[in-house]
Amino acid sequence: MVTRAIKSPTVPRSLATPTDLDPEAVQAVAEAVNPLIADAFALYLKCKNFHWHLTGPHFRDYHLLLVEQADSALASIDPLAERIRRIGGTTLRSVGQVGRLQTIEDDNDELVPAQQMLLRLLDDNRKMAEQQRAAIEVCDDHDDTPTGNVLQEILDQTEKRIWFLFEASRTGREAAEER
């Protein structure tokens, strides 16, 4: 097995962790994963925004749900960033870079009804799941099974967030209609 340092203008030599992956593979995986890290930061902040500005019925339940949602998004960041570094890539360095790479839109509305908060987060998580699946494919295409495995676990957590948001966002009328 040949191990080589990355020879890429985007990775300083001292950060080019030796790997048996081709430089093109490292770049492709990093380009697929770094926006996921940016989205996790954006989702974390959106969940905290909603957590801090929540009002109305179900306050306690939703307040706790939003903490769990934020913690889950935050927990995905370090494993992904460290995985990129282990294969010799570089990852995010600033809030500005997060802003440039994120696909999750910021939510600066002053007041968002609780039900709308859940639906917005549901939509964001669905988009993230799609992007995570696409990144897994990139990893598979470049023989980077370990990064794909990390993404599989993170996708599982994303799907759990989707499930919880879906169930919490259903109105009493919708549930009654199913009976």
Side-chain angles (χ1 to χ4, degrees), residues 120-131:
R120 289 178 188 183
L121 291 172
L122 178 61
D123 186 51
D124 290 339
N125 277 279
R126 284 179 170 164
K127 289 176 187 172
M128 286 181 75
E130 289 175 25
Q131 292 171 328

Side-chain angles (χ1 to χ4, degrees), residues 133-150:
R133 281 180 182 28
I136 291 167
E137 287 183 31
V138 170
C139 293
D140 290 346
D141 291 345
H142 291 90
D143 298 322
D144 186 5
T145 304
T147 303
N149 290 342
V150 171

Side-chain angles (χ1 to χ4, degrees), residues 35-36 38-50 66 69 73 102-108 112 116-132 155 158-159 161-162 165-166:
L36 298 176
D39 279 345
F41 273 115
L43 184 66
Y44 170 78
L45 189 54
K46 186 180 276 192
C47 289
K48 293 306 278 188
N49 168 26
F50 290 165
L66 293 169
Q69 295 275 318
Q102 76 185 67
T103 64
I104 300 290
E105 291 193 27
D106 292 335
D107 201 310
N108 295 311
V112 179
Q116 195 58 236
M117 289 177 178
L118 301 180
L119 293 173
R120 289 178 188 183
L121 291 172
L122 178 61
D123 186 51
D124 290 339
N125 277 279
R126 284 179 170 164
K127 289 176 187 172
M128 286 181 75
E130 289 175 25
Q131 292 171 328
Q132 289 163 352
L155 174 58
T158 302
E159 290 176 333
R161 290 193 307 268
I162 290 169
L165 288 164
F166 171 75

Side-chain angles (χ1 to χ4, degrees), residues 33-107:
V33 172
N34 278 327
L36 298 176
I37 297 168
D39 279 345
F41 273 115
L43 184 66
Y44 170 78
L45 189 54
K46 186 180 276 192
C47 289
K48 293 306 278 188
N49 168 26
F50 290 165
H51 167 81
W52 296 323
H53 297 102
L54 180 68
T55 63
H58 310 292
F59 174 83
R60 182 166 168 40
D61 292 337
Y62 291 171
H63 194 71
L64 296 174
L65 173 67
L66 293 169
V67 167
E68 292 170 359
Q69 295 275 318
D71 289 348
S72 174
L74 186 63
S76 71
I77 294 170
D78 200 51
L80 288 174
E82 287 187 356
R83 183 67 204 146
I84 295 303
R85 289 293 300 123
R86 280 197 296 279
I87 64 171
T90 59
T91 191
L92 306 184
R93 292 181 177 85
S94 68
V95 172
Q97 194 174 12
V98 168
R100 287 188 300 278
L101 292 178
Q102 76 185 67
T103 64
I104 300 290
E105 291 193 27
D106 292 335
D107 201 310

